[in-house]
Amino acid sequence: MGFGMGFDMFSIMFSIMFTIVFVLVIGTFAVIAVKGIGQWSKNNNSPRLTVPATVVSKRTNVTRHHHGGVNGHHHHHTSTTYYVTFQVESGDRMELHVAGYEYGLLVEGDNGNLTFQGTRYLGFERQ
């Protein structure tokens, strides 16, 4: 009789832990999605601006993913995110996410007109 009682208690604890982890994972995804949609909406409601600016720095963020495989085969994947910091005439700086090809075309010290909408980079035309 004692064995059955312990097993029932284990089942209840396992169910509670599974539920908590499930709720945390779903909650995390929901928070990330809401933040992303909020930023997207904020950008869409921001005015499109074109201002004189200078490229002051560039940086990349490389993330590496390692996936174990069957029969000792492993899969490695890397992804790179590109950022450029622009300084406008007022002295304010803004770091914007840019596509890889744009990152390659921009050089620190370039002067031109930066077009953006909120935190969304739309283009840079050199003068």
Side-chain angles (χ1 to χ4, degrees), residues 2-118:
F3 177 75
M5 184 106 166
F7 185 72
D8 288 344
M9 189 61 116
F10 175 77
S11 295
I12 292 169
M13 292 302 291
F14 179 78
S15 295
I16 291 170
M17 291 301 293
F18 179 80
T19 302
I20 290 171
V21 170
F22 180 77
V23 167
L24 286 174
V25 169
I26 296 300
T28 300
F29 282 120
V31 168
I32 291 170
V34 167
K35 283 185 177 182
I37 291 169
Q39 186 64 55
W40 176 80
S41 177
K42 183 178 175 186
N43 284 341
N44 285 344
N45 291 323
S46 296
R48 271 187 129 147
L49 299 174
T50 300
V51 297
T54 302
V55 176
V56 291
S57 70
K58 297 167 49 174
R59 75 175 179 93
T60 59
N61 182 30
V62 179
T63 55
R64 293 173 177 80
H65 308 280
H66 173 78
H67 304 280
V70 294
N71 299 328
H73 296 280
H74 298 282
H75 176 71
H76 300 275
H77 173 74
T78 60
S79 60
T80 306
T81 308
Y82 302 93
Y83 299 93
V84 177
T85 301
F86 297 92
Q87 182 170 320
V88 296
E89 288 181 327
S90 67
D92 291 332
R93 291 183 176 197
M94 63 182 74
E95 183 179 65
L96 301 174
H97 172 263
V98 300
Y101 67 91
E102 291 276 354
Y103 181 88
L105 294 174
L106 297 170
V107 178
E108 289 183 21
D110 279 351
N111 292 303
N113 291 315
L114 169 66
T115 303
F116 65 99
Q117 185 176 21

